[in-house]
């Protein structure tokens, strides 16, 4: 239990009185009241949000919400506002312009080079989106057609996403760090009819991609109204069997979750400048770079670069340059910057900051403290937001004006979310406990299915504990009711906030002809959180050489992407297996972590396998 270190987790961090006074939710009492209502009467709770977002009622409308989480009672389904009509682009742009925000900045774009920047207002974004929507239409894209997008962090990416939603075409964005092989697999699985991409020379040059074609087309494009349950987008996420899953989100529910979590969790007020450092190719970028901020009429920074270029002060330089009020980043970035020392941070003012957010993996209390005391000068509440590609938006998170934080805890559920901790037999645990983190009812933004494979959706998330959505994470509840997410309990690992399945990497390794067998485990890493440690058994007669290691790394880079490149590839004359042939990953994880006590190895078929692995282990 990584979190039970010293007395760190006993520390309490209440929001300051001055912050709470101005916040949307100012106290735990207020939160509890709103929360209770969101669970008791979901329709009454969410209806005003649907109205703010311009969702249109129709005579076709059925129940506000209808659902089943128990495969024994029929197919799993979740529907919010089925029959009502919505258009994401209309709510994000047209409505805000009608409300007088047209000249407000939607995005300050900050390029890879510090002097390379541009500004886009809501009106300008609207015009670009309409033009590009017409380009898509000219290319024959119609409502319901899926569009693949593979682009770097430039305003045109936001334009492309919104143009898709304007014409009712679901997008499927593939993170720019993925290889062509991964891109191909995702395009084929989602049967996209068109791919939007860029010529790839954006680092350090001003981006005007797609502009030339857009300049020649029509600026008028009426939004295509879609059913609230029509698909908004697919986003592929690693699956524990190796094959990525196309997580499917629909329009109305996702909009309500994106809008309300952004508003309450970041406590965004007019005039604030918000910055989420995530790439749009991940769910954090979808919900908290594009949709959440735009639905709220917010002004954001869109950042193309990395935290360490031109130097380790870049984040703080950007914060000062735009007077950023809310900063949302990942523990891996925080640890990386922490390693560089406090003096770089202190060179910058950072006075504008009001709320600091984190996402992607459990944050260790040391990094939390540094974020709070050094980056935020002890003055900013920290929101440690737990959620997943599947949940669409934050599900367990503090509210900055209400929640008394504990470093390392994601604290309490967002509105509409009912977390439960289950034991191995599926019994709900009460009070202080530890077990499987699950949810017992749907909130609007939960995924609806795995694209093209509803059975896989049911098996992955609902089969183990019928009646509950299973996150795949473990969690602990402490005596004060705080939830501490402890990390994945399936064969997934989290490298710098990117989820990967060990099976995905293993299948990539064994595709190399000279590899007979492989097993991949996670090893703790001071910056990345976890890194890949691979055990590789070569084919008989093949030598385990540096060239082979280099070839394997290259293969993984090419097949999956550079972020998946393993830190360690060790020679394994033979893998430790049980008599039934199951690889004992528990033992491999200990070897990878450099431990000498490997625990109970009595079930191993061949005891000597462990000794030879210990001899070849890498540090
Ligand atoms: C949003 C995102 C989801 C997995 C999730 C969990 C881990 C994310 C976390 C966290 C502890 C947090 N995770 N946020 N664990 N505390 N605040 O990251 O989506 O890429 O699908 O990853 O990330 O293990 O299950 P995704």
């Amino acid at each position: 239990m990584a979190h039970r270190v010293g007395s760190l987790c006993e520390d309490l961090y209440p929001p300051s009185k001055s912050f709470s006074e101005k916040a949307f939710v100012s106290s735990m009492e207020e939160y509890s009241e709103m929360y209770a209502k969101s669970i008791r009467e979901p329709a009454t709770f969410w209806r005003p949000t649907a109205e703010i977002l311009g969702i249109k009622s129709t005579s076709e409308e059925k129940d506000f919400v209808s659902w089943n989480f128990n495969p024994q009672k029929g197919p799993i389904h979740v529907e919010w506002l089925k029959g009502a009509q919505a258009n994401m682009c209309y709510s994000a742009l047209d409505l805000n312009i009608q409300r007088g925000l047209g000249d407000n900045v939607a995005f300050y774009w900050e390029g890879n080079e510090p002097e390379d920047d541009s500004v886009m207002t809501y009106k300008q974004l609207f015009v670009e989106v309409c033009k590009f929507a017409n380009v898509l239409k000219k290319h024959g894209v119609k409502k319901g057609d899926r569009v693949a997008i593979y682009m770097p962090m430039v305003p045109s990416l936001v334009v492309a996403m919104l143009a898709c939603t304007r014409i009712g075409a679901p997008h499927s964005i593939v993170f720019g760090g993925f290889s062509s092989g991964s891109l191909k697999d995702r395009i084929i699985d989602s049967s996209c009819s068109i791919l939007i991409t860029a010529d790839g020379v954006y680092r350090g040059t001003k981006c005007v991609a797609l502009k030339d074609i857009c300049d020649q087309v029509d600026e008028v494009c009426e939004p295509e109204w879609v059913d609230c349950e029509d698909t908004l987008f697919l986003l592929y996420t690693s699956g524990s069997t190796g094959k990525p899953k196309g997580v499917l989100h629909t329009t109305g529910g996702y909009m309500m979750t994106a809008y309300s979590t952004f508003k309450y969790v970041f406590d965004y007020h007019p005039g604030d400048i918000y910055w989420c450092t995530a790439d749009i190719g991940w769910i954090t970028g979808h919900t908290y770079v594009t949709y959440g901020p735009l639905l709220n009429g917010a002004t954001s920074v869109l950042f193309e670069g990395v935290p360490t270029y031109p130097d380790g002060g870049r984040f703080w330089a950007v914060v000062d340059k735009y007077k950023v009020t809310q900063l949302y980043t990942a523990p891996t970035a925080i640890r990386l910057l922490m390693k560089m020392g406090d003096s770089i941070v202190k060179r910058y003012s950072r006075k504008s900051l009001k709320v600091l957010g984190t996402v992607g993996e459990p944050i260790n209390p040391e990094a939390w403290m540094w974020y709070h005391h050094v980056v935020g000068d002890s003055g900013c509440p920290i929101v440690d937001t737990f959620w997943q590609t599947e949940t669409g938006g934050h599900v367990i998170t503090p509210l900055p004006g209400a929640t008394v934080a504990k470093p390392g805890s994601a604290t309490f559920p967002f509105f509409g979310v009912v977390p439960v901790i289950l034991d191995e037999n599926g019994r709900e645990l009460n009070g202080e406990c530890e077990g499987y983190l699950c949810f017992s009812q749907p909130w609007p933004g939960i995924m609806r299915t795995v694209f093209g494979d509803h059975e896989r959706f049911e098996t992955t998330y609902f089969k183990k504990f019928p009646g509950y959505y299973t996150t795949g994470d473990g969690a602990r509840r402490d005596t004060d009711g705080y939830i501490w997410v402890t990390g994945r309990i399936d064969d997934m690992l989290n490298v710098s906030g990117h989820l990967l399945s060990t099976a995905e990497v293993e299948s990539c390794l064994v595709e190399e002809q000279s590899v007979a067998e492989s097993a991949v485990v996670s090893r703790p890493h001071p910056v990345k959180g976890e890194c890949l440690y691979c055990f590789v058994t070569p084919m008989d007669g093949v030598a385990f050489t540096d060239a082979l290691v280099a070839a394997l790394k290259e293969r993984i880079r090419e097949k999956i992407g550079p972020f998946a490149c393993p830190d360690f590839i060790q020679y394994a004359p033979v893998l430790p297996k049980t008599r039934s042939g199951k690889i004992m990953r528990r033992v491999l994880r200990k070897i990878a972590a450099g431990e000498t006590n490997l625990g109970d190895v009595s079930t191993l078929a061949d005891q000597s396998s462990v000794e030879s692995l210990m001899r070849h282990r890498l540090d």
Side-chain angles (χ1 to χ4, degrees), residues 132-148 163-164 167-170 192-196 224:
F132 193 62
N134 285 324
V135 172
L136 290 176
K137 282 204 259 183
K138 278 221 177 92
H139 281 78
V141 181
K142 297 180 305 297
K143 177 175 173 174
D145 290 348
R146 285 169 300 280
V147 175
C164 289
I167 63 173
C192 284
S193 57
I194 193 167
L195 168 70
I196 307 172
E224 179 80 41

Side-chain angles (χ1 to χ4, degrees), residues 237 282-284 328 358-363 384-390 396 408 410 471-473 485-488 494 497-499:
T237 183
W282 304 107
I283 190 68
T284 305
Y328 191 32
T358 149
V359 60
E361 57 176 309
I363 182 164
D384 174 359
T385 61
F386 169 83
W387 61 295
Q388 308 177 296
T389 304
E390 293 88 337
I396 301 179
T471 60
D473 284 291
V485 179
T486 53
R488 303 294 307 189
N494 193 321
H498 303 322
L499 271 195

Side-chain angles (χ1 to χ4, degrees), residues 237-245 456 491-492 500-504:
T237 183
S238 297
S240 51
T241 57
K243 187 175 183 274
K245 306 179 284 263
R456 187 168 179 205
D491 285 330
M492 305 282 268
L500 273 171
S501 77
T502 51
E504 193 177 356

Side-chain angles (χ1 to χ4, degrees), residues 132 136 146-152 154 156-165 169-178 183 186-187 190 192-198 210 232-235 279-281 286 291:
F132 193 62
L136 290 176
R146 285 169 300 280
V147 175
I149 303 179
Y150 184 65
M151 287 175 71
V154 291
S156 305
L157 169 51
V158 177
V159 170
M161 295 169 89
L162 289 166
C164 289
T165 69
H171 56 68
S172 173
I173 303 183
V174 180
F175 170 56
F178 274 117
L183 175 62
R186 284 157 177 73
I187 292 176
S190 58
C192 284
S193 57
I194 193 167
L195 168 70
I196 307 172
T197 187
L210 308 177
L232 181 68
F233 65 82
L234 310 181
L235 183 58
D279 192 287
I280 288 178
H286 279 60
Y291 295 122

Side-chain angles (χ1 to χ4, degrees), residues 307-317 337 340-341 344-345 347-348:
T308 48
Y309 180 80
D311 59 47
R314 186 66 186 278
F315 268 23
W316 325 122
L337 296 169
M340 296 180 167
I344 308 182
V345 188
R347 253 178 252 157
Y348 300 87

Side-chain angles (χ1 to χ4, degrees), residues 117-282:
D117 54 29
S118 63
V119 178
M120 200 180 243
T121 65
Y122 273 83
K123 252 191 223 150
Q124 288 166 334
L125 182 57
F126 175 77
V127 170
E128 295 296 314
V129 167
C130 288
K131 284 183 188 173
F132 193 62
N134 285 324
V135 172
L136 290 176
K137 282 204 259 183
K138 278 221 177 92
H139 281 78
V141 181
K142 297 180 305 297
K143 177 175 173 174
D145 290 348
R146 285 169 300 280
V147 175
I149 303 179
Y150 184 65
M151 287 175 71
M153 284 287 282
V154 291
S156 305
L157 169 51
V158 177
V159 170
M161 295 169 89
L162 289 166
C164 289
T165 69
R166 190 153 194 94
I167 63 173
H171 56 68
S172 173
I173 303 183
V174 180
F175 170 56
F178 274 117
S179 63
S180 57
S182 296
L183 175 62
K184 181 195 77 183
D185 293 345
R186 284 157 177 73
I187 292 176
I188 291 172
D189 190 82
S190 58
S191 57
C192 284
S193 57
I194 193 167
L195 168 70
I196 307 172
T197 187
D199 58 17
V201 287
Y202 292 100
R203 299 244 146 186
T205 62
K206 193 151 198 156
C207 172
V208 285
L210 308 177
K211 196 163 181 310
D212 298 342
I213 20 173
C214 293
D215 281 348
Q216 295 145 25
V217 297
D218 201 351
E219 287 182 20
V220 180
C221 176
E222 290 304 320
E224 179 80 41
W225 291 89
V226 302
D227 191 291
C228 277
E229 279 303 327
D230 280 349
T231 305
L232 181 68
F233 65 82
L234 310 181
L235 183 58
Y236 282 81
T237 183
S238 297
S240 51
T241 57
K243 187 175 183 274
K245 306 179 284 263
V247 170
L248 187 148
H249 284 287
T250 56
T251 308
Y254 174 84
M255 259 163 62
M256 294 197 281
T257 286
Y259 169 83
S260 61
T261 51
F262 178 82
K263 171 176 169 174
Y264 290 113
V265 175
F266 299 115
D267 200 54
Y268 184 91
H269 286 80
D272 285 350
I273 311 289
Y274 161 88
W275 180 25
C276 168
T277 67
D279 192 287
I280 288 178
W282 304 107

Side-chain angles (χ1 to χ4, degrees), residues 15 22-23 60 62 91 106 128 172 177 231 252 310 324 330 432 435 449 468 545:
K22 292 187 220 123
E60 310 282 289
K62 300 200 190 116
S91 305
E128 295 296 314
S172 173
T231 305
V324 170
E432 201 182 352
T449 189
Y468 302 92
T545 57

